[in-house]
Amino acid sequence: MSRKVFIGCGAGFSGDRIDAAVPVVRTLSRLDGERFLIYEVLAERTLAIAQKLRRDDPDKGYSPFLDAYLSRVLADCHAHGIRIVTNMGAANPLGAAKRVQALAAELGVRGLRVAAVTGDDLLATLSEAEILAHPRIEGLDPEVRKLVAANAYMGARPIAEALATGAHVVLVGRTTDAALSLGPLVHVHGWGENDLDLLAQGTVCGHLLECGAQVTGAYFADPGFKDVDDLAHVGFPIAEVDAHGELLITKAADTGGLVDRATVIEQLLYEVHDPRNYLTPDVTLDLGEVTVDQVGLNRVQVSGARGKEPPATLKATVCFDAGWLGEGEITYSGPNALARARLAASVVRTRCTEIGITERVRVDVLGTQAVFDGDAPQRRPTVEFPADGEYRVRAAARSAHRHIAQQVADEVLSLYCSGPAAGAGVRQNVTAQIGTASILVDRAHVTPGITVVDAS
Amino acid sequence: MNEVDVPLHAVAHARAGDKGNRSNVSVIPYLPEAFPYLLAQVTEARVLEVFAHKGATACSRYVLPRLPAMNFVIDNALEGGVNYSLGLDGHGKSLSFMLLGDIVVRVPEHCVPTHRQPR
């Protein structure tokens, strides 16, 4: 009988809490079974940023957070036989693997085997024109822009193969987030390509873990309605999965947070469209009959996922330079603040027009549920807001030209001396933008490769 | 049976996610007995109306009876999404609470859990 698999998650995005994995590793170290720690740090745009880093330095292009995340856990994981699977490889999994070995040497961790999974980078095998000829299913029209990155979403199999080399740490670039968990499950339990229901349960496991604490009470708390104890110390999730696909979600011991039906159901449907047809490279997931049951304190069982054949094609994300976003903000507080903020907004609009900015400029008054508003002139009807209070004016514009984005931000700055009374706290941001589109590619274009990097 | 009009926020919780210019918002009742009332009243048409001023063009509802929960998928709800939007929340992460606040439902009193006052 195969052993139970425990998978803990240490990060759900590239800005996630740097030390969240420490209690996860402590908990895993006391468990008996095959144990894994995953980190998901590769949003669509994150990979494009990494690709630019690699262009500047061929040894770089992996997650800039790799050292910060792994230096805290590498020695303990290795001492306790906890294997690490992460997409910190980003645009350079092999470079990441070498860096992990160097880190191990610095930390005095001996006998570490690291594996890099490659093959997702379409720019390595196809020309730009070939990439852009593929059918686009979503996003910007890339034809008119400069391509930065193009990566196909690989599935769980290459990760399972990498683990089969005996690697203690597996670094991948673009795979589905769920594959970070499904890969270890396929490796340990030996699930085949036709074990569709098992692959479905494993994909649910990965889907629930991939956003870190979003399944353990974070992105959830709503005081008085959905209370979560000690959110400041929210524990990151741990899944237990047996060979039959029985799946239990819990969290690191001695932490805050909450695992109950509500936290799990919210995450189960997070970024899902048709729950009966969730496409992944490994399986088409059907969540239609899934049940979620509380089986203990902070222990929730998830059952009944069904699997269908995966799609013939793979999804790929194409990233390209998309100009600049300029933003400026200023605050008005106290008596009649709303009227002063609205006057400031109107001054910015007038000025932007008169200095000849032809780009769309959006000006909001934050504090008036502005994130719910549509772009001007379409505004949300209804709600009245107090005349006195604290309101923050925000102007934003996108432009192909940095100086124009800057000009819009500067129109907010100038309100200090040239706007309504008592404008305060100006902040400006001008940031390079990366646009994305999703395309479908033939599986034949994606050949996974595995490179083992042993300690020298 | 005593019925009350309450914001959806009193009887259900929700989470929003994005893929491009498409938003998905789950709606999950606190108490399963509220679910039939939500099914009848939180319709595709009403949800689309809540997102209309953002330029939304279509709304599909998927029902998961065994949770129970509903999942709404709203097309063109995000002013272009993170690629295009000039708003502060290009991902539409806050839109779950727009839905919870803007939709009022009529339910029997026993479908409304006793929420304690915020600390």
Side-chain angles (χ1 to χ4, degrees), chain A residues 57-83:
Chain A
D57 179 349
D59 292 335
K60 294 281 168 63
Y62 51 83
S63 167
F65 301 105
L66 184 147
D67 280 35
Y69 280 125
L70 295 188
S71 61
R72 285 170 167 76
V73 300
L74 195 59
D76 281 343
C77 283
H78 196 50
H80 293 285
I82 300 163
R83 302 163 81 181

Side-chain angles (χ1 to χ4, degrees), chain A residues 103-455:
Chain A
L103 190 62
E106 288 166 26
L107 296 169
V109 176
R110 288 168 198 284
L112 194 74
R113 170 167 281 196
V114 184
V117 176
T118 52
D120 59 305
D121 186 356
L122 298 177
L123 287 170
T125 53
L126 297 174
S127 72
E128 282 198 22
E130 285 169 326
I131 291 168
L132 297 179
H134 285 82
R136 177 161 53 103
I137 53 173
E138 187 261 308
L140 297 179
D141 178 2
E143 276 174 35
V144 295
R145 298 156 203 273
K146 193 167 140 247
L147 205 60
V148 178
N151 297 74
Y153 283 84
M154 299 198 296
R157 300 273 152 203
I159 292 173
E161 283 170 38
L163 288 166
T165 68
H168 304 104
V169 182
V170 173
L171 291 143
V172 301
R174 181 61 76 210
T175 69
T176 61
D177 296 347
L180 300 175
S181 298
L182 185 56
L185 293 170
V186 165
H187 166 64
V188 175
H189 293 319
W191 294 343
E193 287 179 3
N194 296 321
D195 295 326
L196 293 170
D197 289 347
L198 295 172
L199 296 174
Q201 279 288 113
T203 300
V204 170
C205 170
H207 179 69
L208 290 172
L209 293 183
E210 77 190 39
C211 292
Q214 282 198 188
V215 73
T216 55
Y219 200 51
F220 177 87
D222 185 11
F225 293 84
K226 294 185 289 179
D227 286 304
V228 175
D229 276 342
D230 198 13
L231 187 59
H233 302 106
V234 65
F236 274 48
I238 294 173
E240 307 179 9
V241 189
D242 74 11
H244 308 291
E246 190 161 302
L247 164 62
L248 202 133
I249 301 290
T250 182
K251 67 182 180 69
D254 307 317
T255 58
L258 174 70
V259 183
D260 71 1
R261 290 190 76 250
T263 68
V264 171
I265 292 172
E266 278 197 23
Q267 190 57 21
L268 187 68
L269 296 175
Y270 180 66
E271 292 184 345
V272 168
H273 290 164
D274 177 356
R276 290 188 177 273
N277 291 290
Y278 185 82
L279 305 179
T280 82
D282 298 296
V283 64
T284 297
L285 175 60
D286 177 357
L287 296 168
E289 303 301 321
V290 164
T291 57
V292 175
D293 298 294
Q294 186 99 36
V295 294
L297 179 64
N298 292 317
R299 291 173 74 79
V300 168
Q301 190 176 330
V302 183
S303 316
R306 294 283 173 262
K308 298 180 277 191
E309 289 289 325
T313 49
L314 296 178
K315 183 172 124 171
T317 298
V318 179
C319 297
F320 33 85
D321 285 322
W324 301 84
L325 176 67
E327 300 168 284
E329 296 183 5
I330 185 167
T331 283
Y332 297 88
S333 200
N336 209 27
L338 183 56
R340 285 181 284 131
R342 285 183 170 150
L343 175 58
S346 133
V347 168
V348 171
R349 281 194 200 98
T350 303
R351 283 283 308 164
C352 285
T353 307
E354 290 182 1
I355 64 175
I357 289 173
T358 53
E359 281 80 353
R360 218 155 48 92
V361 178
R362 174 167 172 159
V363 190
D364 283 304
V365 177
L366 308 183
T368 64
Q369 300 188 3
V371 288
F372 295 166
D373 267 329
D375 210 342
Q378 276 211 313
R379 291 286 169 173
R380 192 155 162 261
T382 67
V383 204
E384 290 292 317
F385 296 95
D388 304 352
E390 183 164 274
Y391 296 96
R392 189 159 174 83
V393 173
R394 173 181 179 272
R398 287 175 193 276
S399 175
H401 308 289
R402 182 178 191 153
H403 72 274
I404 292 175
Q406 184 69 54
Q407 270 183 304
V408 172
D410 286 345
E411 282 304 323
V412 176
L413 177 64
S414 69
L415 291 173
Y416 262 149
C417 284
S418 306
V426 169
R427 295 290 184 276
Q428 297 172 289
N429 260 315
V430 177
T431 42
Q433 298 294 293
I434 290 165
T436 63
S438 300
I439 60 171
L440 294 177
V441 298
D442 200 288
R443 284 176 187 255
H445 293 315
V446 180
T447 309
I450 289 148
T451 309
V452 172
V453 180
D454 280 320

